[in-house]
Amino acid sequence: MEKVKEFRGIKEHLGVFREAVKDAERIGFAGVPGVCTPFAQLFAYAVRDKENIFIPNTDFRKARKLELTEYGVELGEISPGKVDVLVLLGGLSMPGIGSDMEDVKKLIEDALEEGGELMGLCYMDMFARAGWYELLDFDCVINADIEGYVLRG
C-alpha cells in the first residue's frame, strides 16, 4: 500500500473518509463494542446520508443500524445485510481484545457485496503493527496518529 494523502485534524479526517466512501450506499463498521462503537458513530455521522450499520466484533448476525437521532448517531434495530463498503476498525486487530483472523475473513465473505470495498480505519498504525496488510486485501486504509498533552493550572 502507498500513502496517497495526508491530513490533519478531525475535520480533515472525517473529510477523507467521506471522500473515500462517496459512492457507497450501505456501509458496515465492524469493531470491538465499547472501544470501536463511538468511532463508528462519529464516522457514520460524517456520512449520515448513507445507510450505516455497526457489526460487533465479527458477528454479522448482530449488526445494528446506526441511526441519526436528536442525540447524535445511536445503535438501532438489528439489521444484517450486505454492504458495499466494509470498514474494519482498528480495535479488531488489537492484542487481547481483537478478533481471530479467520473470523475476520468470514465476516468479509458474509458481509461484503461482490465488488465491494474493504476499508481499514485505525489509529497508530494498528493494522500495520498487527501484520494485517499481509493478511487482507484492503482497498483503502485511513490511519491517524494521536498526539496530545495535558495542562494543569
Side-chain angles (χ1 to χ4, degrees):
M1 302 199 79
E2 71 176 276
K3 187 185 292 185
V4 296
K5 186 169 186 115
E6 292 187 8
F7 59 88
R8 286 186 57 87
I10 192 71
K11 184 176 180 184
E12 288 184 22
H13 194 185
L14 296 173
V16 296
F17 175 74
R18 197 172 27 256
E19 177 63 24
V21 299
K22 69 178 185 260
D23 296 327
E25 292 180 23
R26 183 172 162 93
I27 302 168
F29 296 88
V32 177
V35 174
C36 297
T37 313
F39 293 103
Q41 291 168 306
L42 174 64
F43 284 88
Y45 184 80
V47 291
R48 57 194 174 276
D49 57 319
K50 301 179 183 301
E51 187 177 351
N52 297 290
I53 62 171
F54 179 73
I55 303 161
N57 297 306
T58 56
D59 194 346
F60 188 49
R61 296 167 299 134
K62 292 184 178 177
R64 291 189 173 269
K65 285 184 179 180
L66 287 165
E67 298 178 331
L68 184 62
T69 73
E70 65 182 298
Y71 301 105
V73 175
E74 298 184 275
L75 294 173
E77 63 189 50
I78 291 182
S79 179
K82 296 255 186 193
V83 296
D84 43 356
V85 175
L86 179 60
V87 180
L88 301 180
L89 297 167
L92 292 175
S93 69
M94 292 177 69
I97 65 167
S99 294
D100 178 75
M101 181 51 64
E102 292 310 310
D103 292 338
V104 173
K105 289 180 177 179
K106 173 126 177 48
L107 171 65
I108 294 166
E109 181 182 310
D110 291 346
L112 192 58
E113 290 277 0
E114 188 172 327
E117 289 193 19
L118 180 63
M119 177 181 285
L121 186 56
C122 67
Y123 295 93
M124 312 306 288
D125 282 324
M126 280 307 303
F127 293 130
R129 292 177 20 203
W132 280 29
Y133 293 158
E134 292 78 30
L135 301 173
L136 296 173
D137 189 19
F138 285 106
D139 294 292
C140 175
V141 173
I142 299 173
N143 175 72
D145 292 322
I146 300 174
E147 292 184 21
Y149 53 88
V150 176
L151 298 174
R152 292 186 189 243

